[in-house]
Amino acid sequence: SERVYKRRTNPFDTFEELVRIGYGKFDIQVLTTFLSNISRYYIGAAVKMNNGETGEVIFIAPQCISRPIVSINGNYIDLFKDRHYKIVEVL
């Protein structure tokens, strides 16, 4: 959510932050189960990319839930391999 003191973040940035800081603070099994289950809700979601294009989340690999595969204009982009693309907003 948008806050006075902080801008809204998209779920994929939040997943990345939880992975980054969570492994030292949370039970690893609980964290990975939580992230695996919650990320499934975003398959099929419309997203806005950092270049202004819109796409759809097609697949989220369990080993990298913060960088899914996105379909943009019929082209599949693996955000894990193609690092210059980034999701900036879930529509």
Side-chain angles (χ1 to χ4, degrees):
S1 296
E2 193 75 30
R3 305 280 188 214
V4 173
Y5 56 88
K6 184 179 176 186
R7 290 187 49 107
R8 172 178 52 184
T9 60
N10 70 66
F12 297 98
D13 286 344
T14 304
F15 297 158
E16 191 171 314
E17 186 173 349
L18 279 171
V19 168
R20 185 175 49 81
I21 66 171
Y23 283 111
K25 297 182 179 185
F26 303 113
D27 181 286
I28 293 171
Q29 187 174 10
V30 172
L31 180 61
T32 54
T33 300
F34 170 75
L35 291 173
S36 174
N37 287 322
I38 196 113
S39 66
R40 292 180 193 159
Y41 289 100
Y42 294 98
I43 295 174
V47 292
K48 182 177 178 182
M49 306 303 292
N50 59 337
N51 63 355
E53 293 181 299
T54 58
E56 179 183 353
V57 175
I58 300 299
F59 178 74
I60 300 174
Q63 65 274 17
C64 190
I65 62 168
S66 64
R67 309 235 1 127
I69 296 175
V70 177
S71 173
I72 301 174
N73 299 323
N75 297 316
Y76 296 109
I77 314 244
D78 185 343
L79 300 183
F80 183 73
K81 293 178 183 175
D82 201 348
R83 295 286 181 156
H84 70 275
Y85 279 103
K86 183 170 177 21
I87 295 172
V88 294
E89 184 179 2
V90 176
L91 304 173

